[in-house]
Amino acid sequence: MLADMWQADLTVIERELTLAGVNPALDPLREEAARLHGHALDAAHDAGRALATR
């Protein structure tokens, strides 16, 4: 909707396992959650840099 109506430049960064560390059932996945979090942060930084250089 943002891109269609307002021609907004939108980058969607998805991240999974956001409740690891909060939900005890997901405790075995905390390491994977931390890795995915790092990838999401890197993607957000890259998207920000690309937007800033336009």
Side-chain angles (χ1 to χ4, degrees):
M1 182 171 155
L2 293 174
D4 291 339
M5 291 183 69
W6 297 319
Q7 286 75 45
D9 188 8
L10 181 66
T11 301
V12 176
I13 300 168
E14 294 183 27
R15 181 173 162 234
E16 300 198 20
L17 299 175
T18 58
L19 292 178
V22 176
N23 182 341
L26 296 175
D27 279 350
L29 300 172
R30 289 179 88 171
E31 190 173 311
E32 177 68 6
R35 188 183 68 76
L36 293 173
H37 178 74
H39 287 299
L41 287 175
D42 290 344
H45 286 128
D46 292 344
R49 279 190 208 104
L51 185 60
T53 58
R54 288 186 189 169

